[in-house]
Amino acid sequence: MSAVDPRSIKEALLESDWILAMQEELAEFERHKVWKLILQPKGHTIVGTRWVYKNKLDESGAVVRNNARLVAKGYSQLEDVDCDETYAPVARMEAIRIFLEGGLLRAWYETLSEFLVMSGYRRGVIDPTLFRKANGNHLMLVQMYVDDIIFGSTDQGMVDEFAMLMTNNFEIIMNREINFFLGL
């Protein structure tokens, strides 16, 4: 991992870790089919892009991931002049919160909730984002938080079973044991 955030693409292209991070970002565009090359429409200007580089740190301040994001320079667009819609690839936190709470989060919560219930988990009565499954004297707990899932059990076999269940049914990234979450 590169320990320094590059200040320009010129600097980023000097380090293989940042090149890999940029390639991963472009691969995600292709995988999600959000990138389409078209001819420039007459009467419209081209909205440029730029790379934004930021290291993701763990609780001790060590670099755990080099993040490269390709963002549009949406500020250069004029609605009804350059485009008939506006697009902000880097949204304000308030907009993200409203979006997540009003739609995406609800849809993800319903999908995952139904899946967990069908897999033998019981939804919490006091906290509906907490799911539990008992196996003899052992207990498995699954807590949802936005798009993160925290899980643990008194039995390592139940943990392994849940991890396999999730990776076989959803496209997820399994991190390590939790020791740093929500800044705590």
Side-chain angles (χ1 to χ4, degrees):
M1 298 284 158
S2 175
V4 179
D5 294 341
R7 292 176 290 169
S8 68
I9 191 165
K10 190 174 183 178
E11 284 182 19
L13 290 173
L14 296 175
E15 294 192 46
S16 61
D17 292 325
W18 286 110
I19 293 170
L20 179 61
M22 290 185 286
Q23 289 171 336
E24 288 172 355
E25 172 79 346
L26 294 174
E28 285 296 304
F29 286 177
E30 285 184 25
R31 191 171 68 78
H32 292 292
K33 296 180 172 79
V34 296
W35 186 277
K36 184 173 151 185
L37 186 62
I38 62 169
L39 294 174
Q40 180 179 351
K42 291 188 184 266
H44 292 272
T45 57
I46 294 175
V47 176
T49 59
R50 72 178 298 251
W51 285 99
V52 177
Y53 308 99
K54 186 73 176 161
N55 280 322
K56 186 172 183 177
L57 308 176
D58 67 9
E59 68 278 5
S60 66
V63 175
V64 293
R65 182 170 172 80
N66 298 131
N67 279 330
R69 297 290 175 251
L70 185 62
V71 297
K73 297 179 182 177
Y75 58 82
S76 67
Q77 290 178 295
L78 297 174
E79 194 168 0
D80 296 328
V81 174
D82 293 320
C83 60
D84 53 9
E85 63 180 288
T86 58
Y87 173 68
V90 181
R92 294 188 349 229
M93 287 307 295
E94 298 82 14
I96 292 170
R97 188 171 292 112
I98 291 167
F99 176 70
L100 288 173
E101 291 172 0
L104 185 59
L105 179 58
R106 184 172 290 124
W108 167 241
Y109 170 75
E110 287 303 320
T111 299
L112 185 58
S113 295
E114 289 175 20
F115 176 78
L116 290 173
V117 169
M118 287 176 34
S119 299
Y121 288 82
R122 295 182 61 196
R123 187 185 330 228
V125 176
I126 296 172
D127 182 354
T129 65
L130 179 65
F131 294 81
R132 66 188 184 288
K133 183 176 186 178
N135 185 3
N137 292 332
H138 296 288
L139 180 65
M140 177 73 189
L141 296 174
V142 177
Q143 178 72 59
M144 295 170 52
Y145 180 79
V146 188
D147 63 345
D148 290 323
I149 302 170
I150 304 168
F151 61 95
S153 176
T154 55
D155 176 49
Q156 184 61 44
M158 290 181 81
V159 170
D160 296 339
E161 180 183 307
F162 180 78
M164 179 87 62
L165 180 71
M166 293 303 291
T167 55
N168 287 342
N169 290 281
F170 297 98
E171 209 171 296
I172 63 171
I173 298 170
M174 295 290 288
N175 289 333
R176 60 197 188 290
E177 287 188 23
I178 187 168
N179 54 23
F180 183 68
F181 185 70
L182 296 177
L184 303 172

